[in-house]
Amino acid sequence: MLSARTAAASPAASLWKRGDGAGGRGDRCTSCLEVRRRAAAVTVRAAQPKRVEAVAMESAAETAEAEKEVAAEKEVAAAGGGVEDKYGEDRATEELPVTPWAFSVASGYTLLRDPHHNKGLAFTEREWDAHYLRGLLPPGVVSQDLQVKKIMHNLRQYKVPLQRYVAMMDLQERNERLFYKLLTDNVEELLPVVYTPTVGEACQKYGSIFRRPQGLYVSLRDKGKVIDVLRNWPERNTQVIVVTDGERILGLGDLGCQGMGIPVGKLSLYTALGGVRPSACLPITIDVGTNNEQLLNDEFYIGLRQRRATGEEYHELMEEFMDAVKQIYGEKVLIQFEDFANHNAFDLLAKYSKSHLVFNDDIQGTASVVLAGLLSSLKVVGGTLAEHTYLFLGAGEAGTGIAELIALEISKQTNAPIEECRKKVFLVDSKGLIVSSRKNSLQPFKTSWAHEREPVTTLLDAIKSIRPTVLIGTSGVGRAFTKEVIEAMASFNERPVIFSLSNPTSHSECTAEEAYKWTKGRAVFASGSPFDPVEYDGKIHVPGQANNAYIFPGFGLGVVISGAIRVHEDMLLAASETLAAQATKENFDKGSIFPPFTNIRKISALIAASVAAKAYELGLATRLPRPRDLEKYAESCMYTPVYRSYR
C-alpha cells in the first residue's frame, strides 16, 4: 500500500487518488492530503490550536463535515484535551472519530496486528469495509464490555497467578485498549496480577516467559551508542520513563536484566490508574550484569552473563544514558528510578535531581503513600503528626525516605527546624538502633537519624526503650514483627499503628491476621502487599494497602500536565495530603485507612491537580497559561481505553 507520506512528497501529490484500477473513482476517492488532514485532526494541543488549512473538497457535504471536525478540534483544545495526543487517547477526544494512522493508514491484516488500533471482534461491519477487514474476522460483532467479561471469565480459570500475568501481557501485546479497559474496570482484582506480588515471580522467571520485547534494553555493550538505542524507540512524544538496573527488585534481590517486569508493570499502572497515555510511556532496563549466580547459570537468562559492573564503569554508562534522554526527549520527560540498590539509588537521585526531572519511587513514592496513611490514621488514633513517635525496622531507601518526609511534614505543620523534627523518628537496621555512637560507621544517608540514645541491638528492646506509637517495617525480612513485638506495641498503645510494608507478601514483616490477633483487634494496620479481610471477635477488618500505586500514577500525570522541569519535596507532600483527604469514615469503620482502589482514577486526577498546582506555585511549571480548573484539565488529559470509531 502506498503510504500517505510517500504520496505527499511526490509531484503529483495533489492528484493522487485511490481509484478502481480503470481510471474511475472507485468507491469514495480520498486525496492523500485529506487523509493527512484528518489524521492531524486528532493531534490536540493545550495551546492555541493551529489553523487547519483548506483543502479541496469533493462536495459541499464533505466541506460541512470538515468544518464540524475543525470545530470539534477547537472545542477539545479549549477543554485542554491532552498534549500531543497523536492517537486520540485522552478523555476529551473520546467522542471524535479518528484515523488508525501509522506510516500509512493501518488496514486489513496489519490493522489486526497493531495493538494501538486493534479491536478484535469489536470492529463494526462498516469498519470491515472501510479497512479491508471483511473475511479476516468471524461475522459476529461484540462490544468491548463483552470482551472484558469473556477475558475475566478466562483469567479466573487460572489457578496459578503467573498464568494470569502471562495472559495479561499477551493481551497487552495484541489489543492495548482492551488490556487497559480490563485493568481499569477490575483494578482491585487485577492489580496483584500486573503488580506486586505476582510481578516479583514474573521477574524471577522472566527469561522463561519472555515472548515479545517491551521497552528498551541499554547494556554495557551499548556504551558510546546509548543515544542510538533511544532513537530506535518509535515514539517521540515520550513523557514518562521508568528505568531500573535490576539490582534490588522488590525484596527479591539482584535479578539483572529480568527486572524489566518492574518498569513494564509500573507504566501499565501509570496508564490504567493515572491516565498517562501508553504511547507516552517508555520502560527501560540498564543491564550492567548480575551477581545472581542462579541467573548466570540459567540457560534461559536473557541478560549479560557477567558480574555486575560497579564504580566508574557503571556511572559512565548511567551518565551517558541520562544525557541521551535529555537530548532526545528534552528536560520535561519524567525519569523514574525503580529498584536500584541503596548505594546507587541515593547517589543517582542526589546527582540528577538538580539537572533532570527525576523521581525515585522507592525513596519518594513509598514515602508519600506512607505519609498519607499516617495522616489518615490520625483520624482514628487522634493527635497530630508531631505528637507521635515513629520507629522503623529497616533503614534503606524506603525507611529513610519515609522518615525524611515525615520530618518534613512535621516541620511544615509546626514551623520547627527539620533537625528537631527528625528526633521524633528512630530507625533500626541490621546492627540495631541507629544512635550517635555509631555515626562513624554509618552510611551517609543514615547519619541524620543517629540520635543521642543508649545503643540496643534488637527491635524488641528498641520498642521497650522508645515506646513508639507507630511501628513501620521496611526491612524486607519476613515475619520480623513477632508476637512479642506486636504485643509490646499493644501494651502501651490503645490503637497501635503497625505498617508492614515489605514486598512481596512472603517478605512482609507480619500478616494482617497476626497484627489484628495479637493486638486483640485494636491495630491500625497497613501493608505493602495485599492481604484478605480478617475476622476477629465477630468484626471484619479490611487491611489497608500502602501501595505506591496510589501516588505515582497521579503524581506523574500532574508533572506531565504542568510541564514541570523538576520534582520538589513540596509536590510529594501535596500528593500525600490529597490522598489522605480521600479516606472516609466508611473506610475507617472497616479498618482501612486508605480509600478503595475502585476510585483510583478520580483520586489520581485530584493528586495530579494538587501536584500541578504546587509546581505552578513553585515556578517549576512550563505549560502556560495555567489552566483555570486543574482538576478538570487533568481529567481531560487522562487516557481512556474505550474503543474509538474508525473512519
Side-chain angles (χ1 to χ4, degrees):
M1 180 177 182
L2 177 63
S3 74
R5 183 174 298 175
T6 303
S10 71
S14 61
L15 301 176
W16 179 71
K17 306 281 186 180
R18 180 175 61 81
D20 59 5
R25 284 172 53 93
D27 294 330
R28 180 175 177 268
C29 299
T30 306
S31 71
C32 172
L33 291 176
E34 175 68 1
V35 173
R36 290 173 64 81
R37 186 196 67 74
R38 291 190 179 191
V42 299
T43 304
V44 182
R45 291 172 170 79
Q48 184 71 19
K50 295 192 293 186
R51 181 176 64 87
V52 179
E53 297 187 358
V55 296
M57 296 294 175
E58 294 178 355
S59 67
E62 285 188 331
T63 302
E65 180 186 350
E67 289 173 351
K68 288 181 181 178
E69 290 177 3
V70 172
E73 177 188 354
K74 291 180 179 179
E75 181 181 346
V76 171
V83 182
E84 299 293 335
D85 186 12
K86 183 164 68 171
Y87 296 115
E89 295 172 311
D90 292 352
R91 177 170 294 172
T93 63
E94 197 169 303
E95 300 302 321
L96 295 181
V98 301
T99 299
W101 177 268
F103 291 103
S104 61
V105 178
S107 63
Y109 196 76
T110 302
L111 178 56
L112 294 177
R113 279 148 184 79
D114 180 353
H116 289 305
H117 303 115
N118 179 29
K119 298 196 289 186
L121 293 178
F123 283 107
T124 65
E125 191 166 353
R126 183 185 62 79
E127 289 170 332
W128 293 352
D129 292 330
H131 294 284
Y132 308 99
L133 296 171
R134 187 171 288 276
L136 297 179
L137 291 165
V141 176
V142 303
S143 67
Q144 190 179 27
D145 287 337
L146 187 58
Q147 288 179 313
V148 168
K149 182 179 179 181
K150 182 183 75 170
I151 293 174
M152 283 306 300
H153 171 76
N154 292 339
L155 286 174
R156 288 168 182 150
Q157 306 308 305
Y158 294 122
K159 304 303 180 185
V160 179
L162 188 61
Q163 292 176 326
R164 295 182 185 180
Y165 176 89
V166 171
M168 289 287 288
M169 294 303 103
D170 285 344
L171 177 62
Q172 186 179 22
E173 291 167 7
R174 70 174 185 272
N175 188 331
E176 190 173 77
R177 286 189 186 276
L178 184 56
F179 169 83
Y180 287 113
K181 176 72 170 168
L182 187 77
L183 188 50
T184 54
D185 287 358
N186 302 275
V187 61
E188 289 190 312
E189 185 173 350
L190 295 180
L191 188 61
V193 177
V194 300
Y195 193 43
T196 181
T198 308
V199 72
E201 183 183 1
C203 288
Q204 288 176 311
K205 300 175 180 176
Y206 209 74
S208 300
I209 65 175
F210 183 83
R211 283 167 167 75
R212 186 174 173 182
Q214 295 173 291
L216 285 175
Y217 294 85
V218 177
S219 76
L220 286 171
R221 294 176 184 172
D222 303 314
K223 208 170 180 183
K225 299 179 286 188
V226 172
I227 197 165
D228 296 325
V229 174
L230 295 183
R231 285 189 177 125
N232 287 339
W233 188 248
E235 300 292 347
R236 284 293 173 265
N237 286 326
T238 297
Q239 295 168 330
V240 179
I241 291 172
V242 176
V243 59
T244 186
D245 70 353
E247 189 169 4
R248 192 199 62 82
I249 298 298
L250 301 176
L252 302 172
D254 187 351
L255 298 184
C257 189
Q258 296 189 168
M260 177 58 96
I262 295 296
V264 169
K266 289 278 186 177
L267 286 170
S268 69
L269 298 185
Y270 260 110
T271 298
L273 311 187
V276 178
R277 67 180 80 99
S279 61
C281 297
L282 173 55
I284 296 179
T285 290
I286 308 290
D287 186 1
V288 295
T290 178
N291 294 333
N292 187 322
E293 292 292 344
Q294 185 177 349
L295 290 180
L296 290 173
N297 296 321
D298 183 353
E299 62 178 332
F300 298 132
Y301 181 58
I302 59 175
L304 291 177
R305 293 181 183 274
Q306 65 175 62
R307 306 291 292 181
R308 183 172 285 275
T310 59
E312 186 176 347
E313 185 180 19
Y314 176 88
H315 287 287
E316 283 178 354
L317 181 63
M318 287 302 303
E319 185 166 354
E320 184 184 352
F321 166 73
M322 296 297 289
D323 290 345
V325 167
K326 200 167 186 178
Q327 185 173 337
I328 295 289
Y329 301 115
E331 64 178 338
K332 288 188 285 186
V333 60
L334 176 63
I335 305 170
Q336 177 171 312
F337 295 124
E338 195 68 44
D339 286 358
F340 285 76
N342 290 341
H343 55 274
N344 288 323
F346 289 100
D347 289 347
L348 291 172
L349 185 61
K351 180 177 181 179
Y352 293 108
S353 59
K354 295 179 178 61
S355 59
H356 291 69
L357 181 65
V358 294
F359 170 73
N360 187 302
D361 190 43
D362 304 300
I363 299 173
Q364 298 166 298
T366 301
S368 188
V369 73
V370 173
L371 176 60
L374 292 173
L375 293 172
S376 180
S377 69
L378 295 178
K379 301 172 188 177
V380 178
V381 301
T384 65
L385 206 64
E387 291 171 344
H388 287 269
T389 305
Y390 309 86
L391 178 62
F392 285 76
L393 177 63
E397 296 170 55
T400 55
I402 299 167
E404 184 68 13
L405 207 62
I406 291 172
L408 284 168
E409 181 69 11
I410 293 174
S411 177
K412 176 184 173 183
Q413 292 180 3
T414 63
N415 292 320
I418 186 70
E419 292 78 14
E420 287 299 312
C421 299
R422 289 189 182 119
K423 293 178 181 178
K424 300 291 294 180
V425 185
F426 299 86
L427 280 73
V428 172
D429 63 9
S430 60
K431 295 181 174 60
L433 186 66
I434 294 177
V435 293
S436 56
S437 60
R438 293 179 52 196
K439 221 165 191 176
N440 292 337
S441 61
L442 291 173
Q443 294 165 286
F445 59 86
K446 295 182 182 181
T447 55
S448 298
W449 312 103
H451 305 316
E452 290 287 345
R453 291 191 75 91
E454 289 299 315
V456 295
T457 56
T458 70
L459 175 63
L460 184 59
D461 288 340
I463 290 173
K464 292 176 179 178
S465 171
I466 296 166
R467 296 176 68 85
T469 54
V470 179
L471 177 63
I472 300 175
T474 61
S475 64
V477 180
R479 307 301 179 265
F481 290 173
T482 62
K483 183 179 181 182
E484 291 75 20
V485 164
I486 300 296
E487 287 180 341
M489 285 292 296
S491 67
F492 50 81
N493 289 301
E494 178 61 28
R495 298 297 304 272
V497 179
I498 298 171
F499 285 6
S500 173
L501 302 178
S502 294
N503 292 315
T505 310
S506 59
H507 290 245
S508 186
E509 283 79 10
C510 70
T511 67
E513 183 178 11
E514 290 167 344
Y516 292 125
K517 180 180 178 181
W518 293 336
T519 61
K520 295 181 169 57
R522 293 186 283 119
V524 177
F525 178 80
S527 59
S529 291
F531 284 103
D532 293 330
V534 176
E535 181 179 356
Y536 181 83
D537 198 20
K539 182 180 179 181
I540 301 295
H541 299 266
V542 181
Q545 187 185 358
N547 194 322
N548 293 18
Y550 276 116
I551 291 289
F552 70 78
F555 184 88
L557 180 64
V559 167
V560 167
I561 65 174
S562 63
I565 56 172
R566 297 291 181 271
V567 169
H568 191 278
E569 58 198 21
D570 285 353
M571 295 159 70
L572 297 166
L573 296 177
S576 297
E577 292 162 4
T578 302
L579 175 58
Q582 305 313 305
T584 64
K585 186 178 184 301
E586 182 182 357
N587 304 136
F588 301 143
D589 290 343
K590 293 179 180 178
S592 177
I593 54 175
F594 290 99
F597 264 107
T598 49
N599 300 329
I600 189 60
R601 298 269 290 192
K602 179 65 175 177
I603 294 169
S604 292
L606 292 169
I607 290 174
S610 64
V611 169
K614 186 59 67 173
Y616 282 106
E617 180 185 323
L618 295 169
L620 297 174
T622 62
R623 202 169 304 289
L624 302 172
R626 170 179 168 158
R628 289 187 296 272
D629 189 326
L630 280 170
E631 183 183 339
K632 287 184 177 178
Y633 180 64
E635 289 178 346
S636 78
C637 293
M638 293 178 82
Y639 168 83
T640 55
V642 295
Y643 288 145
R644 303 306 199 244
S645 296
Y646 293 159
R647 297 185 183 94

